[in-house]
Amino acid sequence: MYKMIRKIILLIFVLGSTTMQAQNAKELLDEVSKKVKNYKNIVIGFKYALNNPAENVSQETRGDVTLQGNKYLLNLMGTEQMYDGKKLHVIIPEDEEINISSQGEEDNKSVTPSKMLSFYEDGYSSKMDIVQNVNGRKIQFVKLIPIDSKSEYTEILLGIDKQTKHIYKMILKQNNGSNVTFTVTSFKTNQPLSETLFLFDESKYDNYYINRLD
C-alpha cells in the first residue's frame, strides 16, 4: 500500500512538472511573439547550416532577411527572394532567371521567412528544453513538436535569449534526416527602409528570363 501511494505521488509530481513546463514554454513564446509584433520591421543577419549525415551532406553559408509584416526580402545562397504580400519573386542571378508565383499565408505550412518569428503560435505543442551559455548569454531552448503527423518536421528547437526575448537559434529536424540550423548573427529593429524595398521592378532585369508559374 505504501509503495502504491509513493507511485501515485510520483506520478502526480511528474504530471505536474510536465504541465508546468508546458505553461512556462508557452509563456516564454508569448513574450517573444509580443515583442516581435511591436517592431515596425526587423533586419536579421544569420548563419545557415544544412547537415544530413546519412547522405553525407554538410554545408554552411550566411544570409540576411528583412521582415515587415508578412513581407520579406531574403538573400541566401546566391538567390534573392522578395515577397510583397501576394507574389513571391525568386531572383537567380547565376541563371539570369526569375520565378514568380502566388503564395498565400494559408498555402504554406512550412517555416517561411515571413513566419520565422511567429510560426510557433499555432500547430505545435511546446516544452522547455536545455539552457545553454553562449558568450555569457543565457539561451533557453524550447522544443516544438508538430501536431500535424504529416509535417515535414519531426521537431523544432528554438533557442531564445532569456534577456532580450529574441530568437537566437532555430534548429529544424526534418523527416528525411536533415537538420537545418539558423543562428542569428545580427538583429536590428525599426530600420529606415525604402518604400519600394519589397516591390519587384521588372525593368531592372531586361536580360532575365521571367517564369510566371501562375
Side-chain angles (χ1 to χ4, degrees):
M1 185 68 176
Y2 176 70
K3 289 184 178 179
M4 179 63 72
I5 293 173
R6 278 206 319 180
K7 286 182 180 180
I8 292 172
I9 292 173
L10 180 61
L11 180 60
I12 292 172
F13 175 77
V14 169
L15 289 175
S17 298
T18 303
T19 302
M20 187 176 296
Q21 269 201 336
Q23 288 174 342
N24 288 340
K26 186 179 185 307
E27 288 170 6
L28 178 58
L29 292 174
D30 285 345
E31 284 186 73
V32 174
S33 179
K34 183 178 179 181
K35 193 161 190 178
V36 164
K37 288 176 179 177
N38 282 331
Y39 297 132
K40 292 180 181 178
N41 60 64
I42 302 173
V43 181
I44 299 172
F46 60 86
K47 184 170 65 175
Y48 168 92
L50 171 65
N51 185 260
N52 187 326
E55 299 292 334
N56 198 28
V57 174
S58 180
Q59 62 184 110
E60 189 173 298
T61 188
R62 291 181 179 271
D64 60 79
V65 62
T66 301
L67 305 163
Q68 183 173 283
N70 67 339
K71 301 175 183 179
Y72 65 82
L73 181 64
L74 170 68
N75 293 289
L76 180 64
M77 301 180 73
T79 68
E80 181 177 271
Q81 293 186 31
M82 179 190 299
Y83 183 59
D84 61 11
K86 294 181 179 179
K87 295 282 186 178
L88 174 65
H89 305 80
V90 180
I91 303 166
I92 312 169
E94 184 178 358
D95 299 330
E96 293 191 336
E97 180 179 328
I98 299 172
N99 295 315
I100 303 176
S101 61
S102 297
Q103 184 182 338
E105 288 294 300
E106 70 282 354
D107 296 334
N108 196 337
K109 294 183 180 179
S110 299
V111 182
T112 60
S114 57
K115 296 179 183 177
M116 67 181 296
L117 298 178
S118 61
F119 73 92
Y120 49 80
E121 293 176 342
D122 297 300
Y124 296 87
S125 62
S126 61
K127 67 176 182 178
M128 290 295 201
D129 205 80
I130 63 172
V131 177
Q132 285 186 347
N133 190 321
V134 180
N135 298 324
R137 299 163 64 189
K138 296 291 185 183
I139 306 299
Q140 172 68 64
F141 280 86
V142 175
K143 181 180 289 188
L144 303 170
I145 305 296
I147 295 172
D148 184 359
S149 60
K150 296 181 181 178
S151 171
E152 62 184 296
Y153 309 112
T154 57
E155 66 181 39
I156 298 175
L157 289 169
L158 278 185
I160 299 166
D161 188 314
K162 294 185 74 173
Q163 181 175 356
T164 64
K165 299 301 187 294
H166 291 160
I167 294 175
Y168 166 72
K169 181 173 285 190
M170 178 166 60
I171 304 171
L172 309 171
K173 298 190 176 184
Q174 300 178 314
N175 288 322
N176 64 2
S178 294
N179 287 342
V180 177
T181 303
F182 292 90
T183 304
V184 173
T185 55
S186 64
F187 193 101
K188 300 176 182 178
T189 61
N190 301 333
Q191 298 296 293
L193 302 180
S194 167
E195 292 182 0
T196 61
L197 182 65
F198 305 104
L199 298 178
F200 176 69
D201 185 354
E202 190 171 327
S203 66
K204 294 181 179 179
Y205 304 96
D206 287 339
N207 299 323
Y208 280 59
Y209 170 72
I210 297 181
N211 184 21
R212 302 182 189 277
L213 301 177
D214 51 28

